Amino acid sequence: MGICPLCNGFREMTPVCPDCSGSMENTGREADYYDDYSPYMPIDQMKLEDGYPVDFAKEECPHLFKCSNCGHGKVFLIKE
């Protein structure tokens, strides 16, 4: 299991919104929003079910970012 620098607070990331050029904020792992129990499931197990076929093999962590200006959301795959 890899270590995600965003999940563990080693790094911060503030991408630019593709719609309005505002700053996007990290809202956490995308899989945590699937259902009430998702945040408590093993991370590697959720990677097998999250719809990203390469995130487990390439050790990437899908994070959801949301624009504070227009509300646009986008998933970024963060290298572990």
Side-chain angles (χ1 to χ4, degrees), residues 1-76:
M1 183 165 107
I3 296 174
C4 175
L6 295 185
C7 287
N8 290 285
F10 301 145
R11 192 176 105 200
E12 290 186 19
M13 183 175 160
T14 310
V16 175
C17 177
D19 285 352
C20 72
S21 299
S23 60
M24 299 183 85
E25 297 177 8
N26 180 14
T27 61
R29 291 185 320 118
E30 183 197 29
D32 287 351
Y33 293 94
Y34 291 162
D35 62 37
D36 293 341
Y37 296 101
S38 294
Y40 307 104
M41 300 296 289
I43 292 171
D44 283 345
Q45 179 181 345
M46 292 304 295
K47 285 183 178 183
L48 296 173
E49 302 172 10
D50 66 5
Y52 298 99
V54 298
D55 62 342
F56 183 77
K58 290 187 174 183
E59 294 186 337
E60 295 174 326
C61 188
H63 274 258
L64 180 62
F65 285 78
K66 189 171 183 181
C67 179
S68 56
N69 190 33
C70 71
H72 178 80
K74 183 175 179 179
V75 174
F76 289 88

